[in-house]
């Protein structure tokens, strides 16, 4: 294992819930030294989300991995001064306070860049730094609604449907990490950092295809189609005879032809309407019925084996137990096992991709709040006496 492609990069994560912390996690997965700063008495609320074991939050074990933790009150003058000292040695700061909050504490980009001109400040908020909604509380759920995602998701006669996890936050975290690396690349040429303004409502919108162009050019809105597609068919989830589910995709014409021959309806392949995805979508009921009947007469393993032999596209609908047992995920090393001081060895999703020069390991799981406060502040130039004084004032945990 290597130290990671981003070894030597220092990232200060002063964000919460969830896009900013996830972006910092991605950078830490690639070797960056991530310093997580939380309020001494109100740590990141994500520590309380999801299931726990023996009083230890399981999500935080992943979300907080590879991050040293510092408990620091940025609204306290002494805490703000300590933060400026930490930021002076950083490459990146990621924050998600409401606009102008850092400025109110004397920690805006002007103040931070005065002592560190190369600093990149990533500001991750629900609605961005400008506009009429800039001061509204913003969460991924609101982005999933406002982006059009919810209106596209669900059955045609059902309500708009939200995802059961932080989809918009996850997409925004990737966009934030990409934006940070873009700004760092620009810094290599100019020597100057800059501000990244990322609104969580935007990256998920960018993932939703040509709905804006469709409205602009045709004046129509993409409808809800459940698991079906308005662009091709057959495309759905189908239940097998052993009670499992599989997903079938026929985005490519050749795959659609293989699927229909496999399920015993070869004659439709020669129909003129079958030659395009849109044409097939107009005959979804007929195609779906054939695939559903064929799949429903077989077990999941039989379906997957037959589709593989026919070089047609199918995937079983997995839950977590299936994922950890799957040989493809094992071959990729998707699931890593990390030693944790409270829970022993725990499994979690690993970094998003592999690099040929070597991958950085997940060095440690999410730590308790403030576990590394003294170490980080000493690195930033504070003396033990100064740290003790800040702790006595309530600026530190």
């Amino acid at each position: 294992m290597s130290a990671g492609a981003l070894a030597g990069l220092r990232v200060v994560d002063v964000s919460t819930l969830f896009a900013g912390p996830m972006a910092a996690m991605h950078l830490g997965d690639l070797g960056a030294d991530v310093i997580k700063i939380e309020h001494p008495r109100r740590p990141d609320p994500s520590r309380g989300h999801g299931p726990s074991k023996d009083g230890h939050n399981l999500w935080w074990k992943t979300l907080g991995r590879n991050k040293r933790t510092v408990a620091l009150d940025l609204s306290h003058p002494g805490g703000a001064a300590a933060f400026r000292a930490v930021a002076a040695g950083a490459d990146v700061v990621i924050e998600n306070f409401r606009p102008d909050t850092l400025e109110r504490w004397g920690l805006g980009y002007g103040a931070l860049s005065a002592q560190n001109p190369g600093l990149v400040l990533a500001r991750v908020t629900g609605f961005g730094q400008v506009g009429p909604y800039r001061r509204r509380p913003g969460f991924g759920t609101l982005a999933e609604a406002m982006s059009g995602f919810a209106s596209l998701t669900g059955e045609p006669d059902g309500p708009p449907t939200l995802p059961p996890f932080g989809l918009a936050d996850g997409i925004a975290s990737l966009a934030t990490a990409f934006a940070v690396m873009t700004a760092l690349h620009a810094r290599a040429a100019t020597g100057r950092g800059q501000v990244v303004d990322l609104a969580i409502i935007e990256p998920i919108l960018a993932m939703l295809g040509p709905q804006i162009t469709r409205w602009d050019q045709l004046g129509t809105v993409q409808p809800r189609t459940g698991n079906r597609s308005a662009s091709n068919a057959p495309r759905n989830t189908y239940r097998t005879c052993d009670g499992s589910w599989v997903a079938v995709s026929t985005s490519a014409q050749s795959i659609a032809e293989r699927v229909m021959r496999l399920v015993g309806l070869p004659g439709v392949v020669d129909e003129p309407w079958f030659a395009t995805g849109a044409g097939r979508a107009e005959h979804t009921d007929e195609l779906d019925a054939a695939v559903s009947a064929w799949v429903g007469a077989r077990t999941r393993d039989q379906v997957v084996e037959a589709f593989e032999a026919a070089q047609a596209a199918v995937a079983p609908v997995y839950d977590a137990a299936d994922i950890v047992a799957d040989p493809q995920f094992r071959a990729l090393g998707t699931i890593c096992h990390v030693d944790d001081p409270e829970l022993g060895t725990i499994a979690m999703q690993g970094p998003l991709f592999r690099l040929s020069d070597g991958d950085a390991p997940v060095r440690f799981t999410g730590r308790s709040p403030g576990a590394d406060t003294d170490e980080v502040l000493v690195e930033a130039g504070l003396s033990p006496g100064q740290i003790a004084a800040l702790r006595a004032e309530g600026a530190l945990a």
Side-chain angles (χ1 to χ4, degrees):
M1 289 289 187
S2 70
L6 299 184
L9 188 74
R10 176 163 288 190
V11 177
V12 178
D13 173 18
V14 69
S15 60
T16 60
L17 286 176
F18 290 96
M22 290 178 70
M25 182 196 76
H26 296 317
L27 298 173
D29 284 348
L30 295 171
D33 175 21
V34 180
I35 299 169
K36 171 72 175 180
I37 294 183
E38 302 169 86
H39 192 282
R41 293 164 291 281
R42 298 187 301 277
D44 191 330
S46 63
R47 291 180 179 272
H49 279 246
S52 297
K53 179 181 179 182
D54 299 334
H56 302 290
N57 181 266
L58 298 182
W59 197 350
W60 180 254
K61 294 296 184 182
T62 298
L63 186 62
R65 70 190 185 196
N66 295 331
K67 299 181 184 182
R68 296 191 288 166
T69 61
V70 174
L72 189 62
D73 183 353
L74 304 191
S75 67
H76 187 287
F83 179 79
R84 283 192 289 271
V86 174
D91 297 284
V92 179
V93 170
I94 301 174
E95 66 99 0
N96 71 336
F97 297 104
R98 293 195 200 184
D100 303 327
T101 299
L102 285 186
E103 284 75 9
R104 189 170 68 249
W105 295 335
L107 300 174
Y109 189 68
L112 299 180
S113 63
Q115 60 182 7
N116 183 358
L119 181 69
V120 172
L121 175 63
R123 316 196 80 162
V124 185
T125 58
F127 302 102
Q129 299 295 309
V130 299
Y133 303 160
R134 62 191 292 264
R135 294 189 182 278
R136 288 185 182 180
F139 297 99
T141 297
L142 309 188
E144 288 146 12
M146 288 184 64
S147 66
F149 173 85
S151 74
L152 299 176
T153 307
E155 295 300 323
D157 57 352
T161 302
L162 296 168
F165 63 97
L167 176 63
D169 282 302
I171 295 173
S173 77
L174 297 174
T176 301
F178 175 43
V180 163
M181 298 311 298
T182 301
L184 290 174
H185 178 75
R187 186 183 72 175
T190 67
R192 300 188 307 274
Q194 59 183 297
V195 177
V196 171
D197 177 9
L198 190 136
I200 298 174
I201 57 174
E202 291 184 299
I204 186 172
L205 173 59
M207 300 297 107
L208 294 179
Q211 61 167 328
I212 301 300
T213 306
R214 172 179 177 161
W215 170 252
D216 176 69
Q217 295 296 307
L218 301 177
T220 60
V221 174
Q222 182 176 337
R224 286 193 291 280
T225 55
N227 288 325
R228 291 178 169 182
S229 170
S231 301
N232 64 81
R235 191 265 196 183
N236 212 328
T237 57
Y238 306 91
R239 191 165 191 171
T240 64
C241 70
D242 57 353
S244 297
W245 292 85
V246 297
V248 172
S249 175
T250 57
S251 296
Q253 180 69 24
S254 60
I255 298 295
E257 294 173 3
R258 292 170 194 165
V259 168
M260 299 320 299
R261 291 188 179 108
L262 174 64
V263 303
L265 203 65
V268 299
V269 172
D270 298 322
E271 294 286 349
W273 54 261
F274 196 88
T276 66
R280 298 197 308 274
E282 293 176 356
H283 293 76
T284 294
D285 289 342
E286 176 184 355
L287 301 179
D288 251 357
V291 177
S292 181
W294 186 91
V295 170
R298 292 161 175 80
T299 67
R300 184 177 80 176
D301 289 347
Q302 289 172 333
V303 171
V304 172
E305 182 179 353
F307 265 72
E308 185 173 355
Q311 298 185 51
V314 73
V317 176
Y318 275 173
D319 60 19
D322 298 313
I323 292 168
V324 298
D326 185 86
Q328 182 62 33
F329 284 122
R330 287 182 176 176
L332 293 170
T334 304
I335 308 301
C336 61
H337 295 81
V338 188
D339 289 335
D340 179 79
E342 286 91 21
L343 300 177
T345 301
I346 62 177
M348 61 180 64
Q349 303 97 310
L352 298 173
F353 51 82
R354 290 150 296 283
L355 295 172
S356 60
D357 283 349
D359 301 326
V362 176
R363 302 180 296 280
F364 49 87
T365 57
R367 298 182 188 269
S368 59
D372 306 286
T373 299
D374 289 34
E375 176 184 79
V376 170
L377 294 184
V378 167
E379 291 175 1
L382 277 70
S383 69
Q386 289 173 308
I387 295 172
L390 289 173
R391 186 164 283 122
E393 296 171 4
L396 307 181

